[in-house]
Amino acid sequence: MFMRQKLDIRCITMGISLLDCADSDAAAACRKIYDKVMHRAEKLVQVGQEIEKEFGVPIINKRISVTPIALVAGASAAKSYVDYCRTLDRCAHELGVNFLGGFSALVQKGITPADDILIHSIPEALSTTESVCASVNVGTTKNGINMNAVRLMGEIIKETAELSKDNPVNGCAKLVVFTNAPEDNPFMAGAFHGPGEGDCVINVGVSGPGVILAAAREYRGRPINELADGIKKMAFKITRMGQLVGTEAARRLGVDFGILDLSLAPTPAVGDSVARILEEIGLEGAGAPGTTAALAMLTDMVKKGGVMASTNVGGLSGAFIPVSEDEGMINAVKQHSITLEKLEAMTCVCSVGLDMIALPGDTPATTISGIMADEMAIGMVNNKTTAVRLIPAPGKKAGDWVEFGGLLGGCPVIEVNSFGCADFIKRGGRIPAPIHSFRN
């Protein structure tokens, strides 16, 4: 499984609470943050490497998530939170982790002054740092969608793309906008350590698209219910491996084991693709009629196998469909079997949403906000996590290629509906919570 089917622990992520680092002096707060993160995560990479060697299980990424910085920095009188981001970036580099998440704000019902400062700091923060990821939660099923935040985030995404257009990784690849954001997600770029979490935990993300593909091949031509059962059994095996690694990592680091996120997270490598699983199920190409139904079955069986194997399943747990990080999805966009609208339909049943999608550079901010609003509505109404990681590519048009590098891969720029929605987005306000949200 490890050598031929690319099974791995995609990440072990240490979640660290920074609530006790708040200070009226921003410089003092940054010193406290640096000291706590460096102390807590001092042995994270070392322990991950030791477990890899002893157990023979690849652990691809060691990462950190922290309390949403808007909750910490709000105690200070700082007018920009870029220094907080640079402090976190320094920690990430010195500790040897590839990403650190938590430059975040939770604005589903309203925007505080601290939230506003953080959001407006995102373009400079992400364009002048390498390892820090940002996220903003703009809606929940319980609260509805904050359309003022949606409008603002469309503008922030455009500004971030422009400021970081010459960077090795565009800042928008490190920026996620959520509805119903989970507080214990170990996957980047949306990871943060929620305010309801403990002081320090280990969360694990397991990924095995290649293993699930191999399982699907064993059931070629057989009824879908038999295939579903085979996928569920394989998900159970993968989860047990993740449980073992997570428990051992937490024990060695002297912290609590948080959750196990069993998400099929693809990479650009051949054989590590969610799109290829869909093709093996019987589709000529990802995006063909039947794609949403096949993806719904796949996601559900992964979840069912996971919860049978561990009581700690959490995070997102399902199937990711990022365009740039999945060679099968890249091929589907090239062949025009996948469109932006079809991707949106698929997000009704998968783990996250419109992930790692390159847009034409001249896409208006209001159109970006409109795409975002549609995705947030899917999450709100269906009581699930949805998100967007949209990357306007300055100077590029539909069909051009954009390269992000490493696990982020590259992809064609996707075509965007040319009809505008500016008048809708400029209304602002809030989309009320759906009727089924009232469950008290």
Side-chain angles (χ1 to χ4, degrees):
M1 289 183 180
F2 298 130
M3 298 298 293
R4 296 182 181 180
Q5 298 163 3
K6 300 182 176 13
L7 175 62
D8 56 52
I9 300 293
R10 187 53 51 85
C11 58
I12 54 172
T13 302
M14 176 175 280
I16 303 173
S17 173
L18 300 182
L19 292 174
D20 56 350
C21 297
D23 197 291
S24 58
D25 183 335
C30 287
R31 286 194 297 272
K32 291 179 182 179
I33 290 170
Y34 175 83
D35 290 343
K36 184 166 186 179
V37 173
M38 294 300 294
H39 171 69
R40 280 297 198 177
E42 179 183 12
K43 296 182 179 179
L44 176 63
V45 172
Q46 175 189 328
V47 166
Q49 292 170 342
E50 289 173 355
I51 293 174
E52 277 188 284
K53 184 177 180 180
E54 294 175 28
F55 289 38
V57 177
I59 301 175
I60 306 303
N61 301 297
K62 294 81 176 173
R63 297 168 169 173
I64 297 169
S65 63
V66 298
T67 305
I69 289 299
L71 299 179
V72 180
S76 74
K79 301 302 181 185
S80 167
Y81 296 159
V82 173
D83 285 345
Y84 286 85
C85 189
R86 289 174 178 161
T87 298
L88 295 173
D89 197 50
R90 178 186 169 196
C91 291
H93 282 278
E94 293 183 13
L95 290 167
V97 300
N98 69 326
F99 282 124
L100 190 156
F103 195 71
S104 307
L106 310 176
V107 297
Q108 55 266 22
K109 203 170 183 181
I111 302 176
T112 68
D115 295 327
D116 188 67
I117 293 171
L118 184 132
I119 290 171
H120 281 94
S121 298
I122 286 173
E124 182 182 355
L126 296 189
S127 63
T128 58
T129 59
E130 295 180 6
S131 302
V132 176
C133 296
S135 61
V136 179
N137 191 73
V138 299
T140 66
T141 298
K142 190 68 177 176
N143 295 296
I145 303 171
N146 184 344
M147 291 300 290
N148 292 323
V150 169
R151 178 180 60 189
L152 177 57
M153 287 311 299
E155 298 166 359
I156 292 297
I157 287 171
K158 283 284 286 187
E159 185 179 350
T160 302
E162 186 62 35
L163 279 181
S164 58
K165 64 182 179 181
D166 296 324
N167 292 5
V169 176
N170 191 292
C172 292
K174 303 181 292 177
L175 173 58
V176 179
V177 183
F178 276 113
T179 280
N180 292 322
E183 297 190 2
D184 52 9
N185 165 30
F187 283 101
M188 299 294 169
F192 62 87
H193 188 68
E197 297 287 304
D199 190 62
C200 188
V201 300
I202 284 289
N203 298 320
V204 175
V206 182
S207 180
V211 178
I212 299 298
L213 175 61
R217 285 175 178 151
E218 293 182 12
Y219 290 83
R220 187 172 292 173
R222 294 167 66 177
I224 290 176
N225 56 297
E226 294 183 17
L227 166 63
D229 194 53
I231 291 172
K232 181 176 67 175
K233 290 175 181 176
M234 187 56 70
F236 177 90
K237 295 178 181 179
I238 295 170
T239 305
R240 295 303 293 171
M241 179 195 69
Q243 176 86 12
L244 173 66
V245 170
T247 302
E248 184 63 17
R251 184 187 69 80
R252 295 188 185 193
L253 289 164
V255 302
D256 291 334
F257 177 35
I259 60 92
L260 178 62
D261 188 317
L262 183 64
S263 289
L264 297 181
T267 72
V270 174
D272 203 22
S273 163
V274 171
R276 298 305 184 191
I277 300 173
L278 299 174
E279 292 173 9
E280 180 59 39
I281 290 173
L283 305 172
E284 185 175 351
T291 295
T292 305
L295 184 60
M297 181 274 291
L298 174 63
T299 302
D300 187 51
M301 289 305 110
V302 167
K303 291 178 184 288
K304 285 176 177 174
V307 298
M308 287 174 63
S310 173
T311 56
N312 292 74
V313 172
L316 298 162
S317 291
F320 289 4
I321 52 170
V323 173
S324 77
E325 299 171 3
D326 185 317
E327 60 86 18
M329 293 294 291
I330 293 168
N331 186 63
V333 173
K334 287 180 177 178
Q335 293 184 335
H336 304 290
S337 65
I338 280 281
T339 64
L340 188 59
E341 288 73 21
K342 184 61 177 181
L343 282 167
E344 182 182 305
M346 292 165 66
T347 63
C348 295
V349 299
C350 72
S351 288
V352 191
L354 298 173
D355 194 17
M356 287 301 291
I357 296 176
L359 306 178
D362 61 356
T363 304
T366 51
T367 296
I368 294 172
S369 293
I371 296 169
M372 188 188 309
D374 285 343
E375 193 58 38
M376 301 304 107
I378 289 172
M380 176 188 71
V381 171
N382 290 289
N383 196 26
K384 70 183 293 292
T385 300
T386 52
V388 299
R389 191 160 38 149
L390 304 173
I391 309 170
K396 301 287 187 177
K397 62 183 185 301
D400 290 346
W401 182 262
V402 181
E403 186 64 44
F404 304 114
L407 279 176
L408 297 174
C411 64
V413 176
I414 203 163
E415 185 175 357
V416 174
N417 193 314
S418 61
F419 285 81
C421 60
D423 289 346
F424 170 62
I425 295 301
K426 289 176 181 177
R427 284 176 176 268
R430 184 161 60 93
I431 294 179
I435 187 66
H436 59 257
S437 69
F438 300 104
R439 295 181 175 178
N440 291 340

